[in-house]
Amino acid sequence: MQHILIATRNSHKTKEIRQMLDGHFIVEDLNARDHWPEIEETADTFAGNAALKALGISVLYDGIVLADDSGLEVDSLGGEPGVWSARYAGENATDADNRALLLKRLDGKPSSGRFRCSMVLAQAGVELATFDGAVEGTVINDERGAGGFGYDPLFLPDGFFNTFAELPSETKNQLSHRARALEQAVRFLGQL
Protein backbone atom coordinates (compact mmCIF):
# COMPACT_ATOMS: atom_id res chain seq x y z
CA MET A 1 0.00 0.00 0.00
CA GLN A 2 1.25 3.49 -0.88
CA HIS A 3 2.35 5.90 1.86
CA ILE A 4 1.30 9.54 1.91
CA LEU A 5 2.53 12.21 4.30
CA ILE A 6 0.05 14.88 5.35
CA ALA A 7 1.91 18.15 5.94
CA THR A 8 0.14 18.95 9.21
CA ARG A 9 0.46 18.55 12.95
CA ASN A 10 -3.30 18.97 13.36
CA SER A 11 -4.42 15.56 14.63
CA HIS A 12 -8.09 16.36 13.85
CA LYS A 13 -7.23 16.97 10.20
CA THR A 14 -5.10 13.82 10.03
CA LYS A 15 -7.89 11.73 11.53
CA GLU A 16 -10.40 13.10 9.03
CA ILE A 17 -8.13 12.48 6.03
CA ARG A 18 -7.15 9.03 7.34
CA GLN A 19 -10.85 8.07 7.59
CA MET A 20 -11.46 9.26 4.03
CA LEU A 21 -8.44 7.38 2.66
CA ASP A 22 -9.10 4.22 4.69
CA GLY A 23 -7.81 1.20 2.83
CA HIS A 24 -6.21 3.22 0.02
CA PHE A 25 -3.09 4.71 1.62
CA ILE A 26 -0.99 4.51 4.75
CA VAL A 27 -1.37 8.02 6.18
CA GLU A 28 1.28 9.71 8.29
CA ASP A 29 1.59 13.29 9.49
CA LEU A 30 4.28 15.53 10.96
CA ASN A 31 3.60 14.72 14.61
CA ALA A 32 6.36 12.07 14.61
CA ARG A 33 8.76 14.55 13.00
CA ASP A 34 9.13 17.25 15.65
CA HIS A 35 12.52 18.30 14.28
CA TRP A 36 11.03 19.32 10.93
CA PRO A 37 10.22 23.01 10.55
CA GLU A 38 6.82 24.60 10.89
CA ILE A 39 5.97 26.07 7.49
CA GLU A 40 4.51 29.57 7.81
CA GLU A 41 1.26 30.20 5.96
CA THR A 42 2.05 33.58 4.42
CA ALA A 43 0.06 33.35 1.18
CA ASP A 44 -3.23 35.17 0.71
CA THR A 45 -5.06 32.17 -0.80
CA PHE A 46 -5.82 28.65 0.40
CA ALA A 47 -4.02 27.20 -2.64
CA GLY A 48 -0.96 29.37 -1.96
CA ASN A 49 -0.71 28.25 1.67
CA ALA A 50 -1.22 24.59 0.72
CA ALA A 51 1.57 24.89 -1.86
CA LEU A 52 3.95 26.45 0.65
CA LYS A 53 3.43 23.55 3.05
CA ALA A 54 3.51 20.78 0.43
CA LEU A 55 6.66 22.05 -1.27
CA GLY A 56 8.43 22.90 1.98
CA ILE A 57 7.89 19.45 3.46
CA SER A 58 8.35 17.49 0.22
CA VAL A 59 12.05 18.35 0.10
CA LEU A 60 12.44 16.55 3.45
CA TYR A 61 10.41 13.44 2.63
CA ASP A 62 11.09 10.60 0.22
CA GLY A 63 7.57 10.22 -1.14
CA ILE A 64 4.34 12.06 -1.83
CA VAL A 65 3.25 14.90 0.43
CA LEU A 66 -0.30 16.20 0.66
CA ALA A 67 -0.97 19.61 2.18
CA ASP A 68 -4.20 21.47 2.52
CA ASP A 69 -5.36 24.83 3.63
CA SER A 70 -8.97 25.33 4.37
CA GLY A 71 -11.31 27.64 6.15
CA LEU A 72 -14.67 29.25 6.48
CA GLU A 73 -15.87 32.14 4.32
CA VAL A 74 -18.83 34.11 5.72
CA ASP A 75 -20.63 36.19 3.12
CA SER A 76 -21.98 38.86 5.48
CA LEU A 77 -18.41 39.42 6.74
CA GLY A 78 -16.91 39.88 3.28
CA GLY A 79 -15.42 36.38 3.26
CA GLU A 80 -13.91 36.46 6.74
CA PRO A 81 -12.27 34.61 8.33
CA GLY A 82 -11.04 33.01 5.06
CA VAL A 83 -7.34 32.12 4.99
CA TRP A 84 -7.06 33.43 8.56
CA SER A 85 -9.63 30.89 9.86
CA ALA A 86 -7.19 29.11 12.19
CA ARG A 87 -5.74 32.42 13.42
CA TYR A 88 -8.90 34.56 13.33
CA ALA A 89 -8.74 35.56 17.00
CA GLY A 90 -4.94 35.76 17.04
CA GLU A 91 -1.83 33.71 16.41
CA ASN A 92 -2.32 31.37 19.39
CA ALA A 93 -6.12 31.32 19.33
CA THR A 94 -8.02 28.14 20.15
CA ASP A 95 -10.96 26.87 18.11
CA ALA A 96 -13.23 28.21 20.88
CA ASP A 97 -11.57 31.66 20.67
CA ASN A 98 -12.10 31.76 16.90
CA ARG A 99 -15.75 30.73 17.18
CA ALA A 100 -16.38 33.32 19.89
CA LEU A 101 -14.97 36.10 17.73
CA LEU A 102 -16.99 34.94 14.73
CA LEU A 103 -20.20 34.87 16.80
CA LYS A 104 -19.44 38.38 18.07
CA ARG A 105 -18.95 39.67 14.52
CA LEU A 106 -22.10 37.94 13.28
CA ASP A 107 -23.97 39.89 15.98
CA GLY A 108 -26.78 37.34 16.18
CA LYS A 109 -27.44 37.23 12.44
CA PRO A 110 -26.91 33.96 10.52
CA SER A 111 -25.19 34.25 7.15
CA SER A 112 -24.66 32.25 4.03
CA GLY A 113 -21.12 30.97 3.62
CA ARG A 114 -18.95 28.04 2.73
CA PHE A 115 -16.10 25.89 3.83
CA ARG A 116 -13.36 25.95 1.19
CA CYS A 117 -10.32 23.68 0.84
CA SER A 118 -7.31 23.62 -1.46
CA MET A 119 -5.02 20.59 -1.52
CA VAL A 120 -1.61 20.35 -3.12
CA LEU A 121 0.35 17.19 -3.85
CA ALA A 122 4.13 17.52 -4.08
CA GLN A 123 7.17 15.30 -4.34
CA ALA A 124 10.85 16.22 -4.04
CA GLY A 125 10.13 19.95 -4.16
CA VAL A 126 7.91 19.73 -7.25
CA GLU A 127 4.20 20.54 -7.21
CA LEU A 128 2.28 17.68 -8.82
CA ALA A 129 -1.27 19.07 -8.73
CA THR A 130 -3.76 21.30 -6.91
CA PHE A 131 -7.37 20.39 -6.07
CA ASP A 132 -10.20 22.52 -4.69
CA GLY A 133 -13.40 21.68 -2.87
CA ALA A 134 -16.18 23.70 -1.28
CA VAL A 135 -19.44 23.08 0.53
CA GLU A 136 -22.11 25.78 0.77
CA GLY A 137 -24.26 26.34 3.82
CA THR A 138 -25.36 28.69 6.58
CA VAL A 139 -23.24 29.98 9.42
CA ILE A 140 -25.60 29.95 12.39
CA ASN A 141 -25.49 32.14 15.48
CA ASP A 142 -25.21 29.41 18.15
CA GLU A 143 -22.93 26.42 18.59
CA ARG A 144 -24.52 23.02 18.09
CA GLY A 145 -22.91 19.59 18.42
CA ALA A 146 -19.81 18.13 20.01
CA GLY A 147 -18.20 16.44 16.99
CA GLY A 148 -15.80 17.79 14.42
CA PHE A 149 -13.46 20.69 15.11
CA GLY A 150 -12.91 24.34 14.26
CA TYR A 151 -16.07 26.05 13.04
CA ASP A 152 -18.04 22.79 12.61
CA PRO A 153 -20.54 23.62 15.43
CA LEU A 154 -21.54 26.80 13.56
CA PHE A 155 -21.89 25.42 10.02
CA LEU A 156 -25.13 24.01 8.67
CA PRO A 157 -24.46 22.49 5.21
CA ASP A 158 -27.12 23.08 2.56
CA GLY A 159 -29.76 20.34 2.59
CA PHE A 160 -29.14 19.32 6.22
CA PHE A 161 -30.73 20.23 9.55
CA ASN A 162 -27.61 19.33 11.53
CA THR A 163 -24.30 21.17 11.80
CA PHE A 164 -21.05 19.50 10.79
CA ALA A 165 -20.47 18.97 14.55
CA GLU A 166 -23.79 17.11 14.87
CA LEU A 167 -23.47 14.93 11.78
CA PRO A 168 -21.81 11.50 12.03
CA SER A 169 -18.20 11.71 10.82
CA GLU A 170 -19.01 9.31 7.96
CA THR A 171 -21.66 11.74 6.65
CA LYS A 172 -19.47 14.80 7.09
CA ASN A 173 -16.55 13.04 5.41
CA GLN A 174 -18.67 12.36 2.33
CA LEU A 175 -19.82 15.92 1.74
CA SER A 176 -17.18 18.19 3.25
CA HIS A 177 -14.95 20.61 1.38
CA ARG A 178 -11.96 18.45 2.32
CA ALA A 179 -13.67 15.30 1.02
CA ARG A 180 -14.40 16.99 -2.32
CA ALA A 181 -10.78 18.07 -2.79
CA LEU A 182 -9.42 14.73 -1.55
CA GLU A 183 -11.61 12.75 -3.95
CA GLN A 184 -9.92 14.55 -6.85
CA ALA A 185 -6.47 13.96 -5.31
CA VAL A 186 -7.13 10.23 -4.95
CA ARG A 187 -8.18 9.99 -8.60
CA PHE A 188 -4.99 11.79 -9.60
CA LEU A 189 -2.83 9.52 -7.43
CA GLY A 190 -4.48 6.48 -9.00
CA GLN A 191 -3.20 7.64 -12.39
CA LEU A 192 0.43 7.95 -11.27
Side-chain angles (χ1 to χ4, degrees), residues 186-192:
V186 168
R187 278 198 305 268
F188 177 86
L189 288 167
Q191 298 169 2
L192 289 181

Side-chain angles (χ1 to χ4, degrees), residues 79-160:
E80 286 185 14
V83 294
W84 297 276
S85 290
R87 305 172 300 280
Y88 195 43
E91 203 55 44
N92 297 311
T94 65
D95 288 348
D97 295 336
N98 290 328
R99 288 191 305 269
L101 178 59
L102 180 61
L103 286 170
K104 180 180 176 186
R105 292 202 172 148
L106 282 172
D107 195 27
K109 300 172 191 81
S111 174
S112 58
R114 74 212 42 81
F115 270 116
R116 189 176 301 282
C117 174
S118 288
M119 288 188 169
V120 173
L121 288 170
Q123 188 169 21
V126 176
E127 186 174 321
L128 303 175
T130 301
F131 310 96
D132 296 300
V135 61
E136 299 288 327
T138 302
V139 182
I140 60 175
N141 59 0
D142 63 320
E143 295 188 31
R144 292 184 5 209
F149 65 100
Y151 298 95
D152 287 355
L154 297 173
F155 187 76
L156 194 65
D158 284 350
F160 289 82

